[in-house]
Amino acid sequence: MSLPFELTVLGLGCVLALVHIFSAIQLKTRQYGRAWNMGARDEKQPPLNDIAARVARAQANYFETFPIAIALLLAVPLAGHAGTLSAIGAALWLVARIIYLPLYWTGVKGWRTLAFLASVIGLLMLLAALFFRG
């Protein structure tokens, strides 16, 4: 029995979540130091530098929509509605989210928004597949 494509995408989305977490913490640690990282982080810190702040915002953005992706990527195969529409939607969501991080990290305007919108279209395709067999 092979794993449904949507569940493979979910697993890869979890890997991407770890990339977001470790990218953000590495840049914060580079700025604030290892003692901050290893401590309780109670001390007030200066604002993050531009790159670290962008990566932290990209992480926050990812985790705003990731729960929706998780629900859809689980529900579609569970409902028996996995198909072409859901596979394309899942792939579009994942690829767009992968592209989003370096676009935000490097401060590229416009394209970052397009990548986000593409990921939302992917989620909408998954939602359509859930309700209309995809």
Side-chain angles (χ1 to χ4, degrees), residues 4-7 9-10 65-82 86-87 89-90 93 119-131:
F5 180 73
E6 294 79 4
L7 296 183
V9 170
L10 178 57
T65 59
F66 191 40
I68 299 165
I70 292 168
L72 291 170
L73 291 165
L74 288 173
V76 167
L78 185 64
H81 292 191
S86 63
W93 172 79
S119 75
V120 171
I121 291 169
L123 291 176
L124 291 173
M125 292 172 74
L126 283 162
L127 191 60
L130 178 61
F131 289 116

Side-chain angles (χ1 to χ4, degrees), residues 41-118:
R41 302 178 188 171
D42 292 332
E43 309 84 25
K44 199 144 180 86
Q45 297 294 331
L48 291 168
N49 65 47
D50 289 347
I51 293 173
R54 284 194 298 263
V55 171
R57 288 191 302 271
Q59 177 189 8
N61 179 275
Y62 185 78
F63 284 106
E64 287 171 357
T65 59
F66 191 40
I68 299 165
I70 292 168
L72 291 170
L73 291 165
L74 288 173
V76 167
L78 185 64
H81 292 191
T84 303
L85 180 62
S86 63
I88 293 170
L92 178 60
W93 172 79
L94 181 63
V95 169
R97 292 313 312 207
I98 289 169
I99 292 169
Y100 182 87
L101 180 57
L103 288 175
Y104 210 148
W105 187 321
T106 57
V108 175
K109 296 177 183 172
W111 291 104
R112 172 185 60 87
T113 302
L114 290 175
F116 175 76
L117 290 175

Side-chain angles (χ1 to χ4, degrees), residues 6-65:
E6 294 79 4
L7 296 183
T8 300
V9 170
L10 178 57
L12 293 172
C14 291
V15 171
L16 183 57
L18 292 172
V19 169
H20 274 278
I21 291 166
F22 288 110
S23 297
I25 197 64
Q26 182 210 22
L27 291 170
K28 288 177 185 177
T29 300
R30 187 179 298 167
Q31 181 174 340
Y32 296 149
R34 286 188 189 149
W36 168 84
N37 187 322
M38 301 295 284
R41 302 178 188 171
D42 292 332
E43 309 84 25
K44 199 144 180 86
Q45 297 294 331
L48 291 168
N49 65 47
D50 289 347
I51 293 173
R54 284 194 298 263
V55 171
R57 288 191 302 271
Q59 177 189 8
N61 179 275
Y62 185 78
F63 284 106
E64 287 171 357
T65 59

